[in-house]
């Protein structure tokens, strides 16, 4: 048993540790502003008071021994009445504070504080909930003056234990912004969860009043803090004086013009803002962004960095880069870099950090209970050994962003902008950092609603944001800038008419709010290397087997060279690979999203090793890579010739970014100039035929406009020799993107009616998808101006696991992930052939082999539903943390599995096959 006051003091003592050793300078400064200079003590009070609602019959009745002691003290309740409904202590605590502090503080201060107490178990209720204490929950909350006296006494005694003379002395002098309140709420939860951990003697129960004191709580908090090995990030950074931060932090020969420009714009920024960095592929945007982040952190009091990447695959190399960069600041900070995505167990560097543990600390599925304790004790308990990666505490569900330095998918930010339980923990993790988002153009209209919502909250919290893109449509730049400024200025509908269009490329555009008014800066410079002429020509082929594509790729490298073939569907890529493998069985590589995790990782690593910037003598004399859209983003390979299915111009340019990418690469003479063969189109009247898979993915409108752009120089799509168009890359990139995404007609004569019809269809789709997303973002429409967090979770979602959250923030049909295993007469084998136990038991030695079979299935609604209802973990996986929730797809001796009317198989070369029965 633990006395209530003991837990309140423990939580306050943990909060003191958070204040001294964890909170970013900007967060502390905001709390100081709110309370008028007593920041540390006020923060301790705010965190500690969270559980005052346990001074109610509804909670005291839970423990028989404790209930008897309470009754013996003269308090009473009717047990039968308590069985009629449930009055939770988080809401009860908010009710108590409203009653106790209302007359002392006044409603303005109480109104923003009570939701922090009411929401400390993950969701913020509406004020209407308190009306029930006059009727249905009167007995639960406590009838009579005796209960009112005790409840007030709990608040007053706790307040005096912290050194305040009275409740009035705690009263804040100002209200934080709504984003500031959400951030504080997250730290209340964090302090509560740490102080609720009773393992290893950290916060064991105290049941004698004479043993309670703030001094003793501080001793307990110090032991727990040391055991968990928690710490913040940089603390207060000095503004860097080095003229060339790129050279200083990365050891490069010197900053490129575009890199130096970004750092200087960051130095001159008058207030926290959003910076748009638009530069060609290979320009060094990432290093420049990290250097600028150091400047912004020093100027505006951030304690760390979150780097959001478009995909799990792109996170892994960024994890290495950020660890190396953070290591340059000393003090072992590189060990505090966390990797956040569902496949982090396949990252060799991440796994190496955790080798030698008795239990795997990483919980990829997340099973944190109500008070932050994992069902099986992972990710909440022991601290790391020195040099062994971030504290395990951060690895529990909802907590990853609290780590001072984070590399993860952009989904992590989108989760923090969704109306989901414990969103305050995610936001608290972002709110003391500089946020960097790479490849931001990849966010579709649905994801963009969550991204804009996140930018509003970050803008209001004063979080500097850096958005990186090679190809950002002007309308998207304006929309993102408006969202950030709405948050920073605290009002909707900000006018961004003054946001300048970049006058050149690469460019940096900044937007911030100074005294509530927008402030814009735009700067541009020349690219690191001169633009070159890229020739684009037609290769008409809309066949399912991509026969002409395969034949042409074979011809292009007949005398040597490297060809990259990017096709828009897995089936088409598989068929093209089959044909090419007949001609070059050892020189063709297939990469797509239906490969198991192990095969995809191995093939990606092979391509990067042989075709990457450090390939050197390992670059092959001949190689063909057949890939899907995986090759669009952060795939640092260098091809001599590109064959690609038609895609919207910005994505087409991304693919072109893999062509002649690296300097000093030796190429065959006939491939010495960059050339693109555009396929996925065929002759047709009045418009070319478009590949069905492309239409399903991208819609007709943007494809039509991109076709028209190409036809201006390359002429009509036709078989045989045709014309070609020359694009100057990267110089022409902004112009090309702006033309396709602009409003002016670009299509050929006679297409006007088709173009307008496609435009209307496109706009309708955008509206519908945006409307769907708006139903799920953190703030409902029209509520951005509300002063408090009251009712924030009304109509919220119960999503909590990463798979559920990912489906929430990404558009399209949901898809399922499975772990493929094979079954024979002796039992089960992992996909790679490793023998498992009779029931599928997977020892630590073979666990990685099993997880290597993890595969995402196609997004087919019927298939996803069948997987969810029919597939289960193998019996031997129930005690294995990494596998206990995995869906096992068991391939029989025939090589196939039947699920919900689908026949699924897996070929070690081609990957997953899905057939309808």
């Amino acid at each position: 048993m633990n006395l209530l006051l003991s837990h309140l003091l423990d939580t306050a003592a943990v909060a003191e540790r958070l204040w001294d050793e964890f909170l970013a300078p900007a967060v502390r400064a905001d709390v100081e502003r709110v309370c008028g200079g007593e920041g540390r003590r006020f923060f301790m009070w705010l965190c500690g008071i969270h559980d005052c609602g346990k001074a109610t019959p509804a909670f005291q009745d839970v423990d028989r021994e404790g209930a008897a002691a309470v009754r013996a003290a003269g308090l009473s309740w009717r047990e039968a009445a308590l069985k009629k409904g449930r009055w939770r202590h988080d809401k009860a605590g908010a009710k108590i504070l409203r009653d106790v502090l209302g007359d002392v503080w006044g409603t303005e201060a109480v109104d923003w504080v009570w939701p922090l107490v009411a929401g400390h178990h993950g969701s913020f209720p509406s004020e209407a909930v308190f009306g029930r204490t006059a009727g249905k929950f009167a007995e639960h909350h406590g009838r009579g003056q005796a209960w009112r006296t005790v409840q007030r006494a709990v608040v007053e005694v706790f307040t005096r234990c912290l050194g305040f003379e009275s409740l009035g002395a705690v009263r804040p002098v100002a209200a934080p912004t709504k984003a500031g309140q959400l951030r504080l709420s997250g730290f209340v939860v964090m302090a509560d969860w740490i102080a609720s951990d009773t393992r290893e003697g950290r916060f064991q129960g105290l049941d004698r009043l004479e043993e309670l004191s703030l001094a003793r709580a501080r001793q307990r908090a110090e032991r727990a803090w040391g055991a968990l090995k928690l710490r913040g990030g940089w603390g207060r950074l000095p503004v860097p004086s080095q003229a060339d931060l790129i050279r200083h932090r990365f050891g490069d020969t010197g900053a490129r013009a575009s890199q130096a420009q970004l750092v200087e714009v960051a130095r001159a920024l008058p207030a926290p803002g959003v910076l748009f960095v638009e530069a060609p592929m290979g320009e060094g945007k990432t290093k420049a962004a990290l250097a600028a982040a150091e400047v912004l952190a020093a100027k505006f009091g951030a304690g760390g960095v979150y780097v959001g990447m478009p995909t799990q695959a792109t996170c892994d190399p960024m994890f290495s880069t950020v660890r190396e960069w953070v290591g340059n600041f000393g003090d072992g900070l590189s060990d505090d870099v966390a990797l956040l995505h569902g496949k982090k167990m396949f990252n060799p560097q991440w796994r190496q950090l955790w080798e030698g543990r008795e239990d795997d600390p990483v919980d990829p599925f997340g099973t944190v209970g109500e008070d932050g304790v994992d069902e099986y004790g992972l990710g909440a308990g022991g601290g790391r050994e020195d040099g062994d990666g971030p504290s395990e505490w951060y690895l529990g569900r909802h907590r990853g962003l609290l780590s001072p330095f984070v590399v993860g998918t952009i989904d992590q930010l989108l989760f923090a902008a969704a109306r989901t339980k414990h969103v305050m923990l995610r936001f608290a993790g972002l709110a003391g950092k500089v946020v960097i988002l790479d490849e931001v153009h990849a966010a579709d209209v649905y994801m963009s609603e969550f991204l804009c919502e996140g930018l509003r909250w970050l803008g209001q919290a004063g979080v500097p944001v850096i958005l990186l893109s090679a190809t950002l449509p002007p309308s998207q730049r304006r929309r993102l800038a408006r969202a950030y400024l709405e948050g920073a200025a605290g009002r909707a509908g900000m006018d961004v008419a003054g946001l300048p269009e970049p006058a050149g490329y690469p460019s940096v555009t900044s937007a911030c709010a100074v005294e509530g008014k927008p402030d814009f800066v735009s700067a541009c410079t020349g690219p690191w290397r001169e633009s070159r002429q890229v020739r684009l020509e037609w290769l008409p082929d809309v066949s399912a087997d991509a026969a002409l594509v395969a034949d042409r790729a074979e011809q292009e490298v007949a005398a040597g060279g490297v060809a990259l073939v990017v096709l828009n569907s897995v089936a088409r890529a598989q068929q093209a690979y089959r044909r090419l493998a007949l001609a070059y069985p050892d020189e063709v590589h297939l990469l797509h999203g239906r490969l198991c995790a192990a095969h995809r990782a191995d093939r990606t690593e092979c391509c990067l090793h042989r075709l990457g910037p450090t390939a050197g003598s390992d670059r092959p004399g001949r190689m063909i890579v057949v890939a899907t859209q995986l090759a669009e983003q952060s795939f640092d390979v260098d091809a001599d010739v590109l064959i690609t299915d038609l895609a919207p111009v910005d994505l087409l340019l991304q693919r072109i970014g893999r062509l002649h990418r690296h300097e000093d690469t030796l190429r065959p003479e006939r491939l010495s100039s960059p050339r693109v063969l555009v396929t996925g189109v065929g002759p047709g009247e009045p418009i070319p035929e478009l590949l069905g898979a492309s239409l399903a993915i991208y819609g007709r409108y943007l494809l039509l406009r991109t076709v028209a752009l190409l036809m201006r120089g390359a002429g009509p799509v036709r078989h045989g020799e045709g014309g070609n168009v020359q694009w100057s890359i990267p110089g022409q990139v902004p112009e090309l993107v702006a033309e396709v995404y602009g409003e002016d007609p670009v299509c050929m004569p006679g297409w006007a009616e088709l173009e307008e019809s496609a435009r209307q269809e496109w706009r309708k789709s955008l509206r519908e998808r945006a409307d769907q997303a708006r139903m799920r973002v953190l703030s409902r429409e029209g509520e951005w101006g509300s002063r408090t967090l009251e009712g924030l979770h009304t109509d919220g979602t119960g999503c909590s696991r990463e798979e559920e959250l990912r489906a929430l923030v990404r558009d399209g049909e949901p898809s399922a992930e499975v772990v493929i295993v094979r079954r024979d007469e002796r039992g089960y084998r992992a996909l790679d052939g490793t023998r498992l136990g009779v029931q599928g038991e997977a020892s630590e030695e073979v666990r990685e082999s099993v997880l290597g079979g993890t595969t995402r299935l196609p997004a087919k609604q019927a298939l996803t539903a069948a997987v969810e209802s029919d597939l289960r973990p193998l019996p031997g996986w129930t005690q294995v943390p990494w596998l206990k929730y995995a869906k096992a797809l068991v391939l029989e001796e025939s090589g196939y599995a039947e699920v919900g009317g689908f026949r699924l198989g897996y070929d070690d070369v081609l990957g997953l096959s899905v057939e309808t029965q």
Side-chain angles (χ1 to χ4, degrees):
M1 186 169 67
N2 192 28
L3 290 175
L4 173 56
L5 185 59
S6 173
H7 179 57
L8 302 189
L9 291 173
D10 285 343
T11 308
V14 170
E16 187 174 37
R17 286 282 166 177
L18 289 175
W19 180 276
D20 291 339
E21 302 180 40
F22 185 84
L23 297 188
V27 177
R28 292 199 299 267
D30 191 51
V31 178
E32 293 280 13
R33 177 189 65 82
V34 166
C35 68
E38 280 279 351
R40 176 187 284 105
R41 198 150 40 136
F42 177 74
F43 184 70
M44 293 170 65
W45 185 90
L46 202 61
C47 292
I49 202 64
H50 73 285
D51 262 356
C52 66
K54 290 180 176 178
T56 55
F59 187 86
Q60 294 301 317
D61 189 66
V62 171
D63 178 74
R64 187 172 297 277
E65 181 182 352
V70 172
R71 289 181 184 278
L75 296 171
S76 62
W77 60 90
R78 292 182 294 113
E79 290 187 17
L82 300 187
K83 296 177 182 179
K84 299 176 182 178
R86 186 183 181 199
W87 181 234
R88 289 172 54 103
H89 71 269
D90 45 5
K91 298 179 181 65
K95 167 67 173 168
I96 289 172
L97 286 188
R98 284 162 59 90
D99 292 343
V100 172
L101 298 178
D103 294 336
V104 182
W105 283 15
T107 57
E108 184 175 348
V110 174
D111 281 352
W112 72 262
V113 169
W114 74 254
L116 274 61
V117 173
H120 80 265
H121 278 299
S123 58
F124 300 100
S126 166
E127 187 177 23
V129 72
F130 301 118
R132 302 175 190 174
T133 57
K136 181 177 180 180
F137 293 122
E139 192 74 23
H140 299 70
H141 194 72
R143 290 184 182 275
Q145 187 57 43
W147 275 107
R148 301 289 83 75
T149 300
V150 166
Q151 289 164 353
R152 184 180 186 90
V154 167
V155 177
E156 287 185 336
V157 170
F158 168 72
T159 300
R160 293 182 185 277
C161 283
L162 296 189
F164 289 103
E165 293 181 358
S166 66
L167 293 178
V170 189
R171 185 184 184 278
V173 299
T177 64
K178 195 172 176 180
Q181 295 167 38
L182 190 64
R183 177 175 58 197
L184 281 173
S185 175
F187 292 128
V188 170
V189 176
M190 183 178 182
D192 178 28
W193 283 10
I194 293 172
S196 298
D197 187 354
T198 60
R199 288 168 296 168
E200 300 179 15
R202 290 173 193 161
F203 292 100
Q204 290 182 333
L206 295 177
D207 58 4
R208 298 176 59 190
L209 195 60
E210 59 269 23
E211 294 179 341
L212 303 188
S213 68
L214 180 59
R216 182 159 185 174
R218 282 171 167 157
Q219 292 173 355
R220 286 150 66 93
E222 182 179 6
R223 286 196 304 270
W225 192 264
L228 292 173
K229 297 189 182 296
L230 294 167
R231 65 174 178 177
W234 288 312
R236 172 61 71 177
L237 272 181
V239 177
S241 59
Q242 291 80 6
D244 190 340
L245 265 183
I246 302 294
R247 186 197 302 271
H248 177 64
R249 290 299 181 197
F250 297 100
D252 292 2
T253 55
R256 297 167 182 169
S258 61
Q259 294 175 321
Q261 175 182 262
L262 173 57
V263 174
E264 288 311 306
V265 171
R267 287 186 191 275
L269 201 66
V274 57
L275 288 82
F276 298 90
V277 183
E278 297 172 67
M281 296 67 72
E283 184 72 16
K285 295 189 291 292
T286 298
K287 289 182 178 179
L290 293 174
E294 179 182 349
V295 172
L296 295 171
K299 283 173 63 73
F300 303 119
V305 169
Y306 159 66
V307 182
M309 303 297 293
T311 63
Q312 294 175 351
T314 56
C315 287
D316 291 342
M318 184 59 68
F319 177 61
S320 299
T321 298
V322 172
R323 287 196 81 229
E324 181 181 356
W325 171 67
V326 171
N328 289 329
F329 292 87
D331 198 26
L333 287 174
S334 62
D335 293 322
D336 288 300
V337 181
L339 179 62
L340 295 187
H341 66 71
K343 300 294 181 299
K344 58 182 174 281
M345 71 282 287
F346 296 111
N347 180 284
Q349 193 173 17
W350 179 259
R351 286 193 63 83
Q352 186 178 6
L353 291 172
W354 301 101
E355 283 181 357
R357 300 298 183 91
E358 291 183 5
D359 297 304
D360 289 309
V362 186
D363 175 16
F365 303 103
T367 53
V368 177
E370 184 177 69
D371 281 309
V373 180
D374 292 0
E375 285 180 7
Y376 42 80
L378 299 182
R384 60 182 177 207
E385 298 297 329
D386 289 341
D388 274 348
S391 169
E392 291 180 26
W393 193 89
Y394 296 126
L395 303 180
R397 192 172 51 172
H398 313 301
R399 310 179 204 164
L401 286 172
L402 290 164
S403 189
F405 306 100
V406 176
V407 176
T409 58
I410 191 175
D411 296 38
Q412 299 297 326
L413 182 142
L414 305 182
F415 297 163
R419 208 176 318 141
T420 56
K421 197 172 182 182
H422 289 116
V423 67
M424 67 285 290
L425 274 171
R426 300 181 188 278
F427 187 75
L430 291 171
K433 295 180 171 64
V434 177
V435 170
I436 301 172
L437 301 180
D438 198 9
E439 309 273 14
V440 73
H441 62 271
D444 63 20
V445 66
Y446 183 91
M447 290 172 60
S448 288
E449 289 294 328
F450 291 94
L451 176 56
C452 287
E453 178 72 2
L455 289 175
R456 290 186 192 97
W457 286 86
L458 294 176
Q460 191 173 80
V463 174
V465 178
I466 304 174
L467 303 179
L468 309 180
S469 177
T471 55
L472 193 63
S475 58
Q476 191 175 7
R477 187 190 313 114
R478 290 191 295 271
R479 186 162 181 258
L480 297 175
R482 180 183 292 109
Y484 187 92
L485 291 174
E486 285 177 337
R491 64 180 185 273
M494 287 291 288
D495 183 6
V496 294
L499 183 70
E501 291 293 328
Y505 186 72
S507 68
V508 178
T509 306
S510 69
C512 64
V514 178
E515 296 182 352
K517 297 180 180 180
D519 182 276
F520 304 118
V521 169
S522 181
C524 59
T525 186
W528 168 57
R529 62 183 186 184
E530 293 300 317
S531 292
R532 63 184 68 187
Q533 296 297 310
V534 177
R535 192 175 81 187
L536 297 93
E537 57 191 75
W538 297 119
L539 174 57
D541 186 352
V542 290
S543 63
D545 62 2
L548 294 178
V549 170
D551 291 345
R552 186 60 177 271
E554 181 182 339
Q555 295 169 23
E556 291 291 334
V557 298
V562 174
L564 173 62
V565 181
V566 183
L567 303 177
N568 290 344
S569 74
V570 172
R572 190 163 146 90
Q574 289 171 328
Q575 291 300 320
Y577 172 86
R578 286 179 188 271
R579 294 181 68 94
L580 285 164
L582 295 176
Y584 304 120
D586 299 322
E587 297 166 322
V588 186
H589 299 257
L590 179 63
L591 185 62
H592 58 73
R594 292 189 202 167
L595 295 170
C596 70
H599 291 161
R600 180 170 165 177
D602 289 347
R603 293 183 198 181
T604 301
E605 183 179 358
C606 173
C607 291
L608 293 175
H609 172 72
R610 303 187 71 190
L611 303 177
T614 60
S617 60
D618 289 332
R619 184 178 175 87
R622 177 166 49 218
M623 184 171 171
I624 302 174
V625 178
V626 181
T628 56
Q629 291 89 335
L630 295 181
E632 278 178 5
Q633 299 169 350
S634 302
F635 188 54
D636 195 2
V637 299
D638 183 350
D640 298 324
V641 62
L642 171 67
I643 302 176
T644 173
D645 274 342
L646 179 72
V649 67
D650 51 331
L651 304 182
L652 189 60
L653 289 165
Q654 286 290 122
R655 298 177 188 186
I656 293 173
R658 319 301 141 197
L659 180 64
H660 287 232
R661 183 180 177 92
H662 303 142
E663 296 292 312
D664 304 322
T665 298
L666 296 177
R667 309 181 196 281
E669 179 63 28
R670 66 182 300 272
L671 301 177
S672 60
S673 297
R675 192 159 45 91
V676 181
L677 306 175
V678 180
T679 187
V681 293
E685 291 295 338
I687 62 170
E689 183 181 359
L690 301 178
L691 189 70
S694 302
L695 289 169
I697 297 168
Y698 305 116
R700 184 177 299 274
Y701 178 63
L702 296 178
L703 293 177
L704 271 181
R705 291 175 71 88
T706 302
V707 164
L709 203 64
L710 286 163
M711 287 178 63
R712 287 182 190 173
V717 179
R718 60 187 177 211
H719 292 291
E721 290 299 320
N724 65 78
V725 62
Q726 302 276 344
W727 285 354
S728 180
I729 305 296
Q732 252 187 294
V733 167
E735 169 195 331
L736 294 168
V737 173
E739 192 160 8
V740 169
Y741 281 86
E743 294 294 321
D744 295 336
V746 300
C747 289
M748 312 302 287
W751 292 16
E753 188 175 338
L754 289 168
E755 181 182 10
E756 183 58 28
S757 173
R759 186 200 304 269
Q760 295 302 325
E761 181 182 346
W762 180 61
R763 286 179 170 172
K764 179 183 177 184
S765 174
L766 293 184
R767 286 194 302 269
E768 290 174 349
R769 293 161 68 194
D771 288 345
Q772 285 294 316
R774 290 189 194 108
M775 295 170 61
R776 300 169 173 178
V777 297
L778 192 51
S779 295
R780 286 171 294 281
E781 195 167 357
E783 288 188 351
W784 180 245
S786 61
R787 295 185 304 106
T788 77
L789 299 174
E790 183 264 335
L792 186 69
H793 279 89
T794 303
D795 300 324
T797 172
C799 294
S800 58
R801 297 191 185 279
E802 184 155 328
E803 280 298 300
E804 296 173 325
L805 288 166
R806 187 177 185 278
L808 179 73
V809 301
R810 289 188 179 257
D811 200 6
E813 294 287 346
S815 61
E817 193 170 75
V818 297
V819 175
I820 301 177
V821 295
R822 301 185 187 276
R823 177 158 50 195
D824 57 28
E825 72 280 356
R826 295 175 53 197
Y828 296 100
R829 289 178 291 123
L831 189 59
D832 69 357
T834 301
R835 179 63 60 184
L836 307 180
V838 175
Q839 298 296 318
E841 294 87 350
S843 64
E844 188 173 349
E845 291 74 22
V846 304
R847 198 171 301 163
E848 190 166 356
S849 292
V850 178
L851 287 166
T854 303
T855 310
R856 184 162 292 279
L857 302 182
K860 299 177 183 291
Q861 186 174 8
L863 178 58
T864 302
V867 169
E868 290 298 320
S869 64
D870 298 347
L871 299 190
R872 300 285 184 274
L874 293 182
W877 294 356
T878 55
Q879 300 304 313
V880 182
W882 289 22
L883 290 169
K884 65 186 297 184
Y885 297 106
K887 305 282 190 181
L889 179 66
V890 181
L891 304 182
E892 304 296 344
E893 291 187 77
S894 64
Y896 293 92
E898 295 182 3
V899 181
F902 294 87
R903 189 169 184 257
L904 289 79
Y906 191 89
D907 182 274
D908 287 346
V909 176
L910 296 175
L912 185 76
S913 63
V914 181
E915 303 170 9
T916 305
Q917 292 182 313

